[in-house]
């Protein structure tokens, strides 16, 4: 079993660190939040006084932080030059492709192997150890990260070189955001045209309009499988996180001169929904804004 440093014990990192400890690894954990650190200690991790202390003799370093600037800060102040160069560095945060590539290159220049390994799957999957990891980095770095990622996930896929994990993640989530908006406006139109929504679901889910946002995550309460729509859009994947990923996708699209009109429109709509108080709701709740934008508010 290995000495693993885990930095960033929030909604996602807390469960992931606990799963590494449960698998028998010696997990030295650090978070700026004393509360998060205490929860990790209760889940079998050893609390460290700083990130630098956590990584001091680590064989693997895992980070799960909010955004690119936190990843840059933590790696540059507390990991590079502080962890042994033999440690494999694994950043699981969702961040911009450019920062991921820069940090992997800076680590490589100091003799470290590092991968970007963002996840698909929410808090429940992090707790259950059933995340999907999309990994960017050299073949050899991927092979070293894989056994640790397999403990925390059900699928670990090598997406390509440095930054490829982040690129795959934002491309997937841009498609998800756009397909959810399209699914929502379709159900609104179907209702206004007098269709019974369960009947329309039965038709479209077996016809060419079929897509994941409809069949696995239907935004209409009482239609299709059980989803956050059936719990007043609580839990699930928060609009604020979808908006973050759409912004990262638009930034990446601009950097390579890619034309992404549907992604850009989805970003604008999710931005508006977040401003109107939807940030904490599941991202499928945008159907309410779409309904209300075109008619007087529904009698709910
Ligand atoms: P979170 O805000 O709950 O957790 C982040 C943690 O990092 C916090 O506990 C914070 O105190 C800690 N932190 C910040 N700066 C730090 C520093 N310098 N040193 C030590 N700790 C520091 O966020 P989360 O929901 O766990 O998300 C983490 C990452 O996973 C994000 O990049 C997010 O986009 C991505 N993600 C989240 C979900 C989800 O459903 N929550 C799903 C997929 C991906």
């Amino acid at each position: 079993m290995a000495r693993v440093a885990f930095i960033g014990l929030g909604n996602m990192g807390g469960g992931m660190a606990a799963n590494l400890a449960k698998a028998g690894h010696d997990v030295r954990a650090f978070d700026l939040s004393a509360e998060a650190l205490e929860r990790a200690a209760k889940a079998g991790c050893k609390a460290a006084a700083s990130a630098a202390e956590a990584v001091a003799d680590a064989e693997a370093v895992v980070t799960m932080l909010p955004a690119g600037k936190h990843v840059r800060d933590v790696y540059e102040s507390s990991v590079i030059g502080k962890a042994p160069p033999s440690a494999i560095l694994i950043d699981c945060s969702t961040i911009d492709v450019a920062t991921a590539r820069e940090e992997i290159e800076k680590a490589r220049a100091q003799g470290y192997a590092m991968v970007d390994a963002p996840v698909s799957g929410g808090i429940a999957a992090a707790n259950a150890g059933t995340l999907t990891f999309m990994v960017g980095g050299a073949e050899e770095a991927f092979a070293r990260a894989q056994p640790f990622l397999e403990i925390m996930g059900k699928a670990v896929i090598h997406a390509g070189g440095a930054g490829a994990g982040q690129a795959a993640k934002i491309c997937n989530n841009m498609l998800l955001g756009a397909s959810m908006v399209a699914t929502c406006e379709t159900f609104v139109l179907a209702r206004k045209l007098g269709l019974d929504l369960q009947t329309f679901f039965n038709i479209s889910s077996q016809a060419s309009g079929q897509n994941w946002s409809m069949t696995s995550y239907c935004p209409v309460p009482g239609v299709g499988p059980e989803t956050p729509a059936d719990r007043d859009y609580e839990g699930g994947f928060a609009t604020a996180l979808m908006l973050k990923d759409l912004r990262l996708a638009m930034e990446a699209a601009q950097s390579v001169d890619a034309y992404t009109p549907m992604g850009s429109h989805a970003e604008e709509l999710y931005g508006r929904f977040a401003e109107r108080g939807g940030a904490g709701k599941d991202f499928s709740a945008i159907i309410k804004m779409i309904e209300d934008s075109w008619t007087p508010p529904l009698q709910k």
Side-chain angles (χ1 to χ4, degrees), residues 7-8 10-12 31-32 64-66 74 94 119 121-122 241 244:
I7 303 163
N11 289 320
M12 298 291 289
D31 194 293
L32 294 176
M64 193 54 164
L65 297 160
V74 166
T94 301
V119 306
L241 287 173
K244 171 191 168 182

Side-chain angles (χ1 to χ4, degrees), residues 11-19 64 119-131 151-153:
N11 289 320
M12 298 291 289
M16 293 162 71
N19 284 329
M64 193 54 164
V119 306
S120 174
I123 301 162
N127 290 334
T130 56
L131 294 164
I151 292 167
M152 300 182 281

Side-chain angles (χ1 to χ4, degrees), residues 81-225:
K82 305 286 195 304
S86 55
I88 174 74
L89 311 182
I90 307 170
D91 178 39
C92 297
S93 328
T94 301
I95 67 169
D96 58 289
V97 177
T99 302
R101 288 192 176 138
E102 270 165 38
E103 293 310 308
I104 290 176
E105 179 48 33
K106 281 181 191 161
R108 196 198 57 77
Q110 299 298 315
Y112 294 90
M114 178 172 176
V115 294
D116 55 298
V119 306
S120 174
I123 301 162
N127 290 334
T130 56
L131 294 164
T132 293
F133 288 91
M134 311 155 220
V135 189
E139 197 72 56
E140 186 250 356
F142 171 74
R144 289 178 59 199
Q146 197 172 15
F148 297 102
L149 298 176
E150 277 172 352
I151 292 167
M152 300 182 281
K154 66 171 168 30
V156 180
I157 301 161
H158 191 196
Q166 301 295 350
K169 162 89 186 171
I170 57 166
C171 284
N172 179 72
N173 280 20
M174 182 179 85
L175 180 56
L176 175 62
S179 77
M180 179 55 80
V181 170
T183 300
C184 289
E185 69 187 38
T186 300
F187 274 108
V188 171
L189 174 63
R191 185 182 63 75
K192 290 189 170 199
L193 292 173
L195 290 172
D196 171 73
L197 294 187
Q198 180 63 53
T199 305
F200 174 66
F201 174 90
N202 295 343
I203 295 167
S204 196
S205 61
Q206 297 182 75
S208 48
Q210 185 274 339
N211 73 91
W212 188 90
S213 294
M214 172 185 284
T215 53
S216 298
Y217 216 89
C218 188
V220 181
V223 175

